[in-house]
Amino acid sequence: MHENLSQRRGTTRRTVLAAGLSVGAATVLLSASPGALASPAATAAGQLPGADWFAHPPRSVRPRFRWWWPDGLVDADEITREIDQIADAGFGGVEIAAVHHSVKDKFVLDTARHGWGSRPWRDGVEAALRRAARRGVTVDLTLGPSWPVAVPGVTPDDEQAAQELMYGRVALTPGAAYEGPVPPPAHAPAPGVTRQRLLAVQAVRVDTANSTRKETGLDPASVRDLTATVTDGSLTWTAPPDGDWVLLAYWQRGSGQQPESGPHSAPAAYVVDHLSPTGTEAVTRYWERELLTPALRQLLRAAGGAFFEDSVELETDGLNWTPGLPEAFEKRTGRPLLPYLPVLVLDNSNQVFAFEAQLTRQIRKDFWDTVSDLFNRHHLRALRDWSHSLGMSLRSQPYGLQTDAIASAAVLDIPEGESLGFKNLDDYRCLAGGRDMAGNTVLSCEAGAYNGSAYSTTWDRFLRTMGGAYAAGVNQTVVHGFSYATVPGVAWPGFAAFSPYNGASGYGESWGPRQPTWDHMPDIAGYLGRVHRVLQTGTVRADVAVFRQTGYCATGIGASWFTSTGIPLGWTHQFLSGPLLDLPSATVAGGRLAPDGPAYKALFVETDFFYGSTPTLTIDDARKILALAGAGLPVVVLGAFDEALTPGVPAAGDTDRLRAIVARLLALPHVEHITDKTAVGDALARLGIVPDVRHATASTLLNAHRATPEADFYYFCNGKHAETVKPPVAAIDHDVTLRRTNGGATVPYLLDPWTGEAVRIARYTRDGDDFTVRVALQPGQATIVALGRPGLFGDRHGNRPYAVATDAERLLFTSRGLTLRATTAGTYTTRLSQGRTVTTTVPAVPEPITPTRWELEAEDWQPGATATRTERTRRTLTLDTLLPWSRIPELADSAGVGRYRTTVHLPGGWDASHGALLELGQVSDTCRVTVNGTPMPPVDRIHPVVDLGPALRRGTNVIEVEVATPLINRLRVAQPAVFGAVARQDHGLVGPVRLVPYREAVVS
């Protein structure tokens, strides 16, 4: 969390182990690559996907919950119940996380008795894994209590603990003499830090020409190392008379950081050094010696999923450090680190000193690239390999430091982003590039954490947030979150990890049976699971790879033309950094980069936004790009790269060597060099490159493309690049052209992720491998189109003629063949794929009906006798006008479940050719519809229109709409000290509600 901060058919390893556990035979150990656990393929060899493939996604692709525990203060029976609740709701797994920001009472959370890693905690984990194995769900475990990763027993002075470099300074006027102690650290050490070591002492002349608004300018040529002159902690030195000088001392010490909202354990846990082998070894050694009992090892192989690490929020007053940094820097760059320290030190995350601007940027780039190498090698890669040894994967949010998160994503089995900390969709595209170039499948997201929205979050808000994230590469959702039921002293409706939060409502939600919407969760889980099913299928396809000289993530910085102009026209892109060009997938065939993976059609190189928009390339990266272009990859270069610079400090002759390589690159016939970002589209056109998705005008339509031998899958969402962007998204309804990549007999299908229905599209046009279909979506709404062989998803319409044009509202394939649907009578004209034009007459259609009277049975949820008990008071009301509960006096401060019933009368001529759409209008939060006692399919939360079809009959029909609300309006009065400042919210069925009849007729 960043605060404000080939699914194969048949028996699997986990199935065998779970079966063994269920009969007590917990001794079977089979091996499998953890990476395979997260890589569903489309189908078993030689089989076409049937109807169940999409309608009933397996547990492995279903959404997961972040499951917050109050450390080890848990009961095994309650753990078992909660696993059952999560499984019954249709979710596929949990992540156990010790998070309890809402509970500050150390007497309640007695770490000595039930802290993280204690015997009760281990018993709880084993209970969870045991039940999960039986229920077919998986359990992820955080690597330490809360975040960042920490280990009980490590002290701040230990070499395994997180380190910082703190500076001290003394200013000297020209010719002034200094005699006294070495300048002390600018900040006192954190509590628990008792030792600090002097790394170096320097004198540097002040150069105001290099000063900035926040940084003191220094002369790099004047840096003098005075370390050898220090005696017994004292220094004697006289400043030269040629200007003002500053004495700098550098102190290495532990940062003293503890995991969030601790302590969580006894002894206390301290954050480990993320840049050294010793820090990672402290983590793995603790697990091996203290936690991994034989039973737990066995259970992890049966039901374990991944070890998880949250975002890398290493907090220090100074510079993140590790003792091996100077050596690693010199090995990487060929230059010593110490002369550059003045422009690297930090004071509460702020730079303190600066050399000349370009040199300063180059030094900082070299430093953070070194840090990135250490983090990826000693932390992520080491933890990944250790996880594999236990049959587990590694899932991590690899950002927070100024490191190459794109490269980190390629190291991880499962990289993860977050909806709270990510500023826009390009943040996800950074991680997606690493995932896909490494040949992995899953990009996860910590989803639904909204500041100040505890118990008021609606699922439509959640879905609008995630809709665009799926288009940007996300295909696993870890919902934030599910809180353990209770701890002593908490108020109704039970323990919540983040509520209260500093005395007010907190982050995210505590989903579960405490929420009125919980009975509707199978509908939400089914929707998310179907989206994941498609987006974890086959291989991702992206149009363009955008090269990033600096692979930071969670910055909100996009790709000039593609982010602003390309996406609205259908283009898709991902970000690559230099290390990804060393991967085995970084080859070119048929003009495509990574042809067996994303199959990028072009590489786009622009200036480095993170370092003054400078046209930079390392010599190695320039050579790699030249080799790719030489192998036939189209390249577009934006910026003054004929004057390219190295991003780090150049050695003698490096700039000339770099520019010579770039000159060879720019001279190639399929390399376009432009200096204006508005020319990118024309450059791509000159190279003959078109996106897989095209539409004539700019649109808010977002897309993601997955390819399998059987079909191309296109996920569409009517969304926007960032939730904060204005104006709001409007409804869209326009033609979209899609490309079939694998050839062969092909027809288009429409896949409804809410109902699970997959049907042949009846109206489209085709031009070779290009198919043009109509896409109509409300703001935030999503749909899926597949281009594949006839017979997919159980389709029985074969190669029947389809429509290429019509003036009818809708055409569809039914059991009777090509069928026209209309809400008004008339004669409609349809042109068929065979070239024939036919007319179809639709007789009279009943007028739309607006129900005027509703019976509402409101089930009002209120605090019960205990924190986890809810009393339900029922009220029956008659409504002549639909209003939100907040405007109904009897329900103004209520929350719960409302069942709205109305009666509609349909004429005597109503027969099988008739049907009707029920438009619900405004409804909040979740809902279900029943007609004459028959449950209807799940309702699209974003566009609540339900096809009632054959459920209606002539005469009297009873329609019931069950609506579940969030708890906030009740909590405003039940806990006013925490929630009283939250305004009443409008929930319930508000409408307007209309029943819109239609008639169907076969197109002959």
PDB file of all heavy atoms in Angstrom, residues 924-955:
ATOM      1  N   SER A 924     -27.979   2.063  -6.168  1.00  0.00           N
ATOM      2  CA  SER A 924     -26.740   1.970  -5.400  1.00  0.00           C
ATOM      3  C   SER A 924     -27.004   1.200  -4.107  1.00  0.00           C
ATOM      4  O   SER A 924     -27.977   1.469  -3.413  1.00  0.00           O
ATOM      5  CB  SER A 924     -26.228   3.379  -5.064  1.00  0.00           C
ATOM      6  OG  SER A 924     -25.063   3.327  -4.300  1.00  0.00           O
ATOM      7  N   ASP A 925     -26.186   0.157  -3.785  1.00  0.00           N
ATOM      8  CA  ASP A 925     -24.924  -0.097  -4.457  1.00  0.00           C
ATOM      9  C   ASP A 925     -25.070  -1.288  -5.416  1.00  0.00           C
ATOM     10  O   ASP A 925     -25.048  -1.137  -6.616  1.00  0.00           O
ATOM     11  CB  ASP A 925     -23.858  -0.340  -3.396  1.00  0.00           C
ATOM     12  CG  ASP A 925     -22.488  -0.678  -3.953  1.00  0.00           C
ATOM     13  OD1 ASP A 925     -22.206  -0.301  -5.087  1.00  0.00           O
ATOM     14  OD2 ASP A 925     -21.710  -1.310  -3.243  1.00  0.00           O
ATOM     15  N   THR A 926     -25.238  -2.474  -4.904  1.00  0.00           N
ATOM     16  CA  THR A 926     -25.399  -3.642  -5.761  1.00  0.00           C
ATOM     17  C   THR A 926     -26.870  -4.014  -5.832  1.00  0.00           C
ATOM     18  O   THR A 926     -27.669  -3.647  -4.968  1.00  0.00           O
ATOM     19  CB  THR A 926     -24.594  -4.835  -5.231  1.00  0.00           C
ATOM     20  OG1 THR A 926     -25.019  -5.125  -3.890  1.00  0.00           O
ATOM     21  CG2 THR A 926     -23.098  -4.531  -5.237  1.00  0.00           C
ATOM     22  N   CYS A 927     -27.230  -4.775  -6.845  1.00  0.00           N
ATOM     23  CA  CYS A 927     -28.644  -5.138  -6.983  1.00  0.00           C
ATOM     24  C   CYS A 927     -28.789  -6.455  -7.719  1.00  0.00           C
ATOM     25  O   CYS A 927     -27.878  -6.895  -8.424  1.00  0.00           O
ATOM     26  CB  CYS A 927     -29.414  -4.037  -7.712  1.00  0.00           C
ATOM     27  SG  CYS A 927     -28.892  -3.759  -9.417  1.00  0.00           S
ATOM     28  N   ARG A 928     -29.947  -7.053  -7.514  1.00  0.00           N
ATOM     29  CA  ARG A 928     -30.374  -8.235  -8.256  1.00  0.00           C
ATOM     30  C   ARG A 928     -31.837  -8.071  -8.632  1.00  0.00           C
ATOM     31  O   ARG A 928     -32.588  -7.395  -7.930  1.00  0.00           O
ATOM     32  CB  ARG A 928     -30.181  -9.509  -7.426  1.00  0.00           C
ATOM     33  CG  ARG A 928     -28.736  -9.986  -7.367  1.00  0.00           C
ATOM     34  CD  ARG A 928     -28.586 -11.207  -6.503  1.00  0.00           C
ATOM     35  NE  ARG A 928     -27.251 -11.797  -6.620  1.00  0.00           N
ATOM     36  CZ  ARG A 928     -26.789 -12.767  -5.838  1.00  0.00           C
ATOM     37  NH1 ARG A 928     -27.567 -13.254  -4.866  1.00  0.00           N
ATOM     38  NH2 ARG A 928     -25.583 -13.254  -6.006  1.00  0.00           N
ATOM     39  N   VAL A 929     -32.213  -8.707  -9.729  1.00  0.00           N
ATOM     40  CA  VAL A 929     -33.581  -8.571 -10.235  1.00  0.00           C
ATOM     41  C   VAL A 929     -34.221  -9.941 -10.325  1.00  0.00           C
ATOM     42  O   VAL A 929     -33.594 -10.919 -10.760  1.00  0.00           O
ATOM     43  CB  VAL A 929     -33.578  -7.893 -11.620  1.00  0.00           C
ATOM     44  CG1 VAL A 929     -34.986  -7.881 -12.221  1.00  0.00           C
ATOM     45  CG2 VAL A 929     -33.043  -6.473 -11.510  1.00  0.00           C
ATOM     46  N   THR A 930     -35.479 -10.019  -9.901  1.00  0.00           N
ATOM     47  CA  THR A 930     -36.280 -11.240  -9.994  1.00  0.00           C
ATOM     48  C   THR A 930     -37.592 -10.889 -10.691  1.00  0.00           C
ATOM     49  O   THR A 930     -38.203  -9.856 -10.392  1.00  0.00           O
ATOM     50  CB  THR A 930     -36.578 -11.822  -8.605  1.00  0.00           C
ATOM     51  OG1 THR A 930     -35.339 -12.110  -7.955  1.00  0.00           O
ATOM     52  CG2 THR A 930     -37.398 -13.095  -8.690  1.00  0.00           C
ATOM     53  N   VAL A 931     -38.031 -11.743 -11.619  1.00  0.00           N
ATOM     54  CA  VAL A 931     -39.288 -11.540 -12.327  1.00  0.00           C
ATOM     55  C   VAL A 931     -40.158 -12.774 -12.158  1.00  0.00           C
ATOM     56  O   VAL A 931     -39.727 -13.887 -12.505  1.00  0.00           O
ATOM     57  CB  VAL A 931     -39.055 -11.259 -13.826  1.00  0.00           C
ATOM     58  CG1 VAL A 931     -40.384 -11.102 -14.556  1.00  0.00           C
ATOM     59  CG2 VAL A 931     -38.208 -10.015 -14.001  1.00  0.00           C
ATOM     60  N   ASN A 932     -41.318 -12.563 -11.554  1.00  0.00           N
ATOM     61  CA  ASN A 932     -42.255 -13.674 -11.331  1.00  0.00           C
ATOM     62  C   ASN A 932     -41.573 -14.844 -10.632  1.00  0.00           C
ATOM     63  O   ASN A 932     -41.812 -16.012 -10.942  1.00  0.00           O
ATOM     64  CB  ASN A 932     -42.872 -14.134 -12.659  1.00  0.00           C
ATOM     65  CG  ASN A 932     -43.654 -13.024 -13.336  1.00  0.00           C
ATOM     66  OD1 ASN A 932     -44.326 -12.234 -12.674  1.00  0.00           O
ATOM     67  ND2 ASN A 932     -43.572 -12.955 -14.661  1.00  0.00           N
ATOM     68  N   GLY A 933     -40.686 -14.512  -9.697  1.00  0.00           N
ATOM     69  CA  GLY A 933     -39.990 -15.528  -8.920  1.00  0.00           C
ATOM     70  C   GLY A 933     -38.763 -16.102  -9.581  1.00  0.00           C
ATOM     71  O   GLY A 933     -38.071 -16.942  -8.980  1.00  0.00           O
ATOM     72  N   THR A 934     -38.456 -15.680 -10.803  1.00  0.00           N
ATOM     73  CA  THR A 934     -37.300 -16.198 -11.530  1.00  0.00           C
ATOM     74  C   THR A 934     -36.136 -15.217 -11.443  1.00  0.00           C
ATOM     75  O   THR A 934     -36.261 -14.061 -11.872  1.00  0.00           O
ATOM     76  CB  THR A 934     -37.636 -16.430 -13.014  1.00  0.00           C
ATOM     77  OG1 THR A 934     -38.711 -17.358 -13.111  1.00  0.00           O
ATOM     78  CG2 THR A 934     -36.425 -16.961 -13.774  1.00  0.00           C
ATOM     79  N   PRO A 935     -34.983 -15.627 -10.879  1.00  0.00           N
ATOM     80  CA  PRO A 935     -33.832 -14.720 -10.810  1.00  0.00           C
ATOM     81  C   PRO A 935     -33.297 -14.417 -12.211  1.00  0.00           C
ATOM     82  O   PRO A 935     -33.157 -15.310 -13.049  1.00  0.00           O
ATOM     83  CB  PRO A 935     -32.800 -15.489  -9.985  1.00  0.00           C
ATOM     84  CG  PRO A 935     -33.582 -16.550  -9.284  1.00  0.00           C
ATOM     85  CD  PRO A 935     -34.709 -16.907 -10.194  1.00  0.00           C
ATOM     86  N   MET A 936     -32.989 -13.168 -12.449  1.00  0.00           N
ATOM     87  CA  MET A 936     -32.396 -12.746 -13.710  1.00  0.00           C
ATOM     88  C   MET A 936     -30.866 -12.827 -13.615  1.00  0.00           C
ATOM     89  O   MET A 936     -30.305 -12.930 -12.530  1.00  0.00           O
ATOM     90  CB  MET A 936     -32.822 -11.317 -14.025  1.00  0.00           C
ATOM     91  CG  MET A 936     -34.314 -11.155 -14.320  1.00  0.00           C
ATOM     92  SD  MET A 936     -34.830 -11.973 -15.861  1.00  0.00           S
ATOM     93  CE  MET A 936     -35.472 -13.540 -15.236  1.00  0.00           C
ATOM     94  N   PRO A 937     -30.176 -12.761 -14.740  1.00  0.00           N
ATOM     95  CA  PRO A 937     -28.713 -12.782 -14.703  1.00  0.00           C
ATOM     96  C   PRO A 937     -28.178 -11.586 -13.930  1.00  0.00           C
ATOM     97  O   PRO A 937     -28.888 -10.596 -13.704  1.00  0.00           O
ATOM     98  CB  PRO A 937     -28.319 -12.713 -16.188  1.00  0.00           C
ATOM     99  CG  PRO A 937     -29.514 -13.196 -16.929  1.00  0.00           C
ATOM    100  CD  PRO A 937     -30.698 -12.776 -16.123  1.00  0.00           C
ATOM    101  N   PRO A 938     -26.901 -11.633 -13.505  1.00  0.00           N
ATOM    102  CA  PRO A 938     -26.314 -10.505 -12.772  1.00  0.00           C
ATOM    103  C   PRO A 938     -26.454  -9.197 -13.534  1.00  0.00           C
ATOM    104  O   PRO A 938     -26.412  -9.155 -14.767  1.00  0.00           O
ATOM    105  CB  PRO A 938     -24.846 -10.919 -12.629  1.00  0.00           C
ATOM    106  CG  PRO A 938     -24.881 -12.418 -12.651  1.00  0.00           C
ATOM    107  CD  PRO A 938     -25.964 -12.775 -13.620  1.00  0.00           C
ATOM    108  N   VAL A 939     -26.598  -8.123 -12.769  1.00  0.00           N
ATOM    109  CA  VAL A 939     -26.820  -6.796 -13.335  1.00  0.00           C
ATOM    110  C   VAL A 939     -25.487  -6.077 -13.498  1.00  0.00           C
ATOM    111  O   VAL A 939     -24.675  -6.028 -12.564  1.00  0.00           O
ATOM    112  CB  VAL A 939     -27.749  -5.972 -12.413  1.00  0.00           C
ATOM    113  CG1 VAL A 939     -27.979  -4.579 -12.994  1.00  0.00           C
ATOM    114  CG2 VAL A 939     -29.071  -6.700 -12.197  1.00  0.00           C
ATOM    115  N   ASP A 940     -25.270  -5.500 -14.676  1.00  0.00           N
ATOM    116  CA  ASP A 940     -24.087  -4.669 -14.921  1.00  0.00           C
ATOM    117  C   ASP A 940     -24.151  -3.470 -13.983  1.00  0.00           C
ATOM    118  O   ASP A 940     -25.043  -2.631 -14.084  1.00  0.00           O
ATOM    119  CB  ASP A 940     -24.098  -4.221 -16.384  1.00  0.00           C
ATOM    120  CG  ASP A 940     -22.851  -3.449 -16.785  1.00  0.00           C
ATOM    121  OD1 ASP A 940     -22.209  -2.848 -15.907  1.00  0.00           O
ATOM    122  OD2 ASP A 940     -22.525  -3.438 -17.989  1.00  0.00           O
ATOM    123  N   ARG A 941     -23.184  -3.378 -13.059  1.00  0.00           N
ATOM    124  CA  ARG A 941     -23.225  -2.300 -12.070  1.00  0.00           C
ATOM    125  C   ARG A 941     -23.053  -0.925 -12.705  1.00  0.00           C
ATOM    126  O   ARG A 941     -23.532   0.082 -12.173  1.00  0.00           O
ATOM    127  CB  ARG A 941     -22.123  -2.497 -11.021  1.00  0.00           C
ATOM    128  CG  ARG A 941     -22.527  -3.079  -9.718  1.00  0.00           C
ATOM    129  CD  ARG A 941     -23.727  -2.427  -9.081  1.00  0.00           C
ATOM    130  NE  ARG A 941     -23.526  -1.031  -8.762  1.00  0.00           N
ATOM    131  CZ  ARG A 941     -24.357  -0.055  -9.085  1.00  0.00           C
ATOM    132  NH1 ARG A 941     -25.451  -0.285  -9.782  1.00  0.00           N
ATOM    133  NH2 ARG A 941     -24.102   1.187  -8.727  1.00  0.00           N
ATOM    134  N   ILE A 942     -22.377  -0.855 -13.835  1.00  0.00           N
ATOM    135  CA  ILE A 942     -22.120   0.429 -14.464  1.00  0.00           C
ATOM    136  C   ILE A 942     -23.292   0.855 -15.352  1.00  0.00           C
ATOM    137  O   ILE A 942     -23.616   2.034 -15.441  1.00  0.00           O
ATOM    138  CB  ILE A 942     -20.824   0.382 -15.297  1.00  0.00           C
ATOM    139  CG1 ILE A 942     -19.649  -0.055 -14.404  1.00  0.00           C
ATOM    140  CG2 ILE A 942     -20.531   1.726 -15.921  1.00  0.00           C
ATOM    141  CD1 ILE A 942     -19.369   0.871 -13.243  1.00  0.00           C
ATOM    142  N   HIS A 943     -23.949  -0.111 -15.971  1.00  0.00           N
ATOM    143  CA  HIS A 943     -25.071   0.177 -16.879  1.00  0.00           C
ATOM    144  C   HIS A 943     -26.205  -0.782 -16.534  1.00  0.00           C
ATOM    145  O   HIS A 943     -26.377  -1.815 -17.171  1.00  0.00           O
ATOM    146  CB  HIS A 943     -24.633  -0.006 -18.330  1.00  0.00           C
ATOM    147  CG  HIS A 943     -25.661   0.389 -19.334  1.00  0.00           C
ATOM    148  ND1 HIS A 943     -26.378   1.558 -19.259  1.00  0.00           N
ATOM    149  CD2 HIS A 943     -26.093  -0.243 -20.471  1.00  0.00           C
ATOM    150  CE1 HIS A 943     -27.204   1.647 -20.289  1.00  0.00           C
ATOM    151  NE2 HIS A 943     -27.045   0.567 -21.033  1.00  0.00           N
ATOM    152  N   PRO A 944     -26.979  -0.458 -15.496  1.00  0.00           N
ATOM    153  CA  PRO A 944     -27.968  -1.415 -14.971  1.00  0.00           C
ATOM    154  C   PRO A 944     -29.220  -1.529 -15.836  1.00  0.00           C
ATOM    155  O   PRO A 944     -30.280  -0.959 -15.544  1.00  0.00           O
ATOM    156  CB  PRO A 944     -28.278  -0.849 -13.583  1.00  0.00           C
ATOM    157  CG  PRO A 944     -28.038   0.616 -13.707  1.00  0.00           C
ATOM    158  CD  PRO A 944     -26.930   0.773 -14.683  1.00  0.00           C
ATOM    159  N   VAL A 945     -29.078  -2.272 -16.921  1.00  0.00           N
ATOM    160  CA  VAL A 945     -30.194  -2.584 -17.817  1.00  0.00           C
ATOM    161  C   VAL A 945     -30.250  -4.094 -17.951  1.00  0.00           C
ATOM    162  O   VAL A 945     -29.245  -4.731 -18.282  1.00  0.00           O
ATOM    163  CB  VAL A 945     -30.013  -1.925 -19.200  1.00  0.00           C
ATOM    164  CG1 VAL A 945     -31.131  -2.351 -20.143  1.00  0.00           C
ATOM    165  CG2 VAL A 945     -29.971  -0.411 -19.065  1.00  0.00           C
ATOM    166  N   VAL A 946     -31.401  -4.686 -17.680  1.00  0.00           N
ATOM    167  CA  VAL A 946     -31.534  -6.145 -17.629  1.00  0.00           C
ATOM    168  C   VAL A 946     -32.524  -6.595 -18.690  1.00  0.00           C
ATOM    169  O   VAL A 946     -33.634  -6.054 -18.783  1.00  0.00           O
ATOM    170  CB  VAL A 946     -32.014  -6.597 -16.236  1.00  0.00           C
ATOM    171  CG1 VAL A 946     -32.007  -8.121 -16.145  1.00  0.00           C
ATOM    172  CG2 VAL A 946     -31.145  -5.992 -15.146  1.00  0.00           C
ATOM    173  N   ASP A 947     -32.100  -7.585 -19.492  1.00  0.00           N
ATOM    174  CA  ASP A 947     -33.007  -8.184 -20.473  1.00  0.00           C
ATOM    175  C   ASP A 947     -33.870  -9.223 -19.753  1.00  0.00           C
ATOM    176  O   ASP A 947     -33.380 -10.266 -19.325  1.00  0.00           O
ATOM    177  CB  ASP A 947     -32.196  -8.832 -21.592  1.00  0.00           C
ATOM    178  CG  ASP A 947     -33.076  -9.328 -22.744  1.00  0.00           C
ATOM    179  OD1 ASP A 947     -34.323  -9.303 -22.602  1.00  0.00           O
ATOM    180  OD2 ASP A 947     -32.515  -9.738 -23.770  1.00  0.00           O
ATOM    181  N   LEU A 948     -35.165  -8.926 -19.609  1.00  0.00           N
ATOM    182  CA  LEU A 948     -36.065  -9.838 -18.892  1.00  0.00           C
ATOM    183  C   LEU A 948     -36.565 -10.977 -19.770  1.00  0.00           C
ATOM    184  O   LEU A 948     -37.088 -11.969 -19.254  1.00  0.00           O
ATOM    185  CB  LEU A 948     -37.247  -9.054 -18.321  1.00  0.00           C
ATOM    186  CG  LEU A 948     -36.887  -7.876 -17.409  1.00  0.00           C
ATOM    187  CD1 LEU A 948     -38.147  -7.311 -16.765  1.00  0.00           C
ATOM    188  CD2 LEU A 948     -35.888  -8.281 -16.341  1.00  0.00           C
ATOM    189  N   GLY A 949     -36.450 -10.809 -21.091  1.00  0.00           N
ATOM    190  CA  GLY A 949     -36.708 -11.885 -22.041  1.00  0.00           C
ATOM    191  C   GLY A 949     -37.895 -12.757 -21.735  1.00  0.00           C
ATOM    192  O   GLY A 949     -39.002 -12.278 -21.471  1.00  0.00           O
ATOM    193  N   PRO A 950     -37.699 -14.078 -21.736  1.00  0.00           N
ATOM    194  CA  PRO A 950     -38.818 -15.013 -21.573  1.00  0.00           C
ATOM    195  C   PRO A 950     -39.396 -15.056 -20.164  1.00  0.00           C
ATOM    196  O   PRO A 950     -40.388 -15.757 -19.935  1.00  0.00           O
ATOM    197  CB  PRO A 950     -38.197 -16.361 -21.953  1.00  0.00           C
ATOM    198  CG  PRO A 950     -36.740 -16.209 -21.660  1.00  0.00           C
ATOM    199  CD  PRO A 950     -36.422 -14.777 -21.976  1.00  0.00           C
ATOM    200  N   ALA A 951     -38.831 -14.355 -19.217  1.00  0.00           N
ATOM    201  CA  ALA A 951     -39.372 -14.383 -17.849  1.00  0.00           C
ATOM    202  C   ALA A 951     -40.703 -13.655 -17.750  1.00  0.00           C
ATOM    203  O   ALA A 951     -41.484 -13.879 -16.812  1.00  0.00           O
ATOM    204  CB  ALA A 951     -38.367 -13.768 -16.879  1.00  0.00           C
ATOM    205  N   LEU A 952     -41.002 -12.774 -18.719  1.00  0.00           N
ATOM    206  CA  LEU A 952     -42.270 -12.032 -18.706  1.00  0.00           C
ATOM    207  C   LEU A 952     -43.385 -12.849 -19.348  1.00  0.00           C
ATOM    208  O   LEU A 952     -43.145 -13.735 -20.176  1.00  0.00           O
ATOM    209  CB  LEU A 952     -42.090 -10.708 -19.461  1.00  0.00           C
ATOM    210  CG  LEU A 952     -41.137  -9.696 -18.816  1.00  0.00           C
ATOM    211  CD1 LEU A 952     -40.831  -8.575 -19.793  1.00  0.00           C
ATOM    212  CD2 LEU A 952     -41.720  -9.151 -17.524  1.00  0.00           C
ATOM    213  N   ARG A 953     -44.613 -12.513 -18.985  1.00  0.00           N
ATOM    214  CA  ARG A 953     -45.785 -13.220 -19.529  1.00  0.00           C
ATOM    215  C   ARG A 953     -46.926 -12.226 -19.696  1.00  0.00           C
ATOM    216  O   ARG A 953     -46.903 -11.133 -19.115  1.00  0.00           O
ATOM    217  CB  ARG A 953     -46.200 -14.349 -18.591  1.00  0.00           C
ATOM    218  CG  ARG A 953     -46.582 -13.873 -17.201  1.00  0.00           C
ATOM    219  CD  ARG A 953     -46.581 -15.000 -16.193  1.00  0.00           C
ATOM    220  NE  ARG A 953     -46.926 -14.512 -14.841  1.00  0.00           N
ATOM    221  CZ  ARG A 953     -46.563 -15.112 -13.719  1.00  0.00           C
ATOM    222  NH1 ARG A 953     -45.830 -16.222 -13.779  1.00  0.00           N
ATOM    223  NH2 ARG A 953     -46.921 -14.632 -12.539  1.00  0.00           N
ATOM    224  N   ARG A 954     -47.912 -12.590 -20.480  1.00  0.00           N
ATOM    225  CA  ARG A 954     -49.072 -11.719 -20.617  1.00  0.00           C
ATOM    226  C   ARG A 954     -49.788 -11.595 -19.282  1.00  0.00           C
ATOM    227  O   ARG A 954     -49.751 -12.505 -18.451  1.00  0.00           O
ATOM    228  CB  ARG A 954     -50.023 -12.243 -21.687  1.00  0.00           C
ATOM    229  CG  ARG A 954     -50.734 -13.534 -21.318  1.00  0.00           C
ATOM    230  CD  ARG A 954     -51.811 -13.883 -22.340  1.00  0.00           C
ATOM    231  NE  ARG A 954     -51.238 -14.113 -23.663  1.00  0.00           N
ATOM    232  CZ  ARG A 954     -50.906 -15.302 -24.132  1.00  0.00           C
ATOM    233  NH1 ARG A 954     -51.087 -16.374 -23.372  1.00  0.00           N
ATOM    234  NH2 ARG A 954     -50.398 -15.442 -25.329  1.00  0.00           N
ATOM    235  N   GLY A 955     -50.380 -10.428 -19.058  1.00  0.00           N
ATOM    236  CA  GLY A 955     -51.090 -10.207 -17.805  1.00  0.00           C
ATOM    237  C   GLY A 955     -50.175  -9.629 -16.746  1.00  0.00           C
ATOM    238  O   GLY A 955     -49.288  -8.825 -17.019  1.00  0.00           O
TER     239      GLY A 955
END
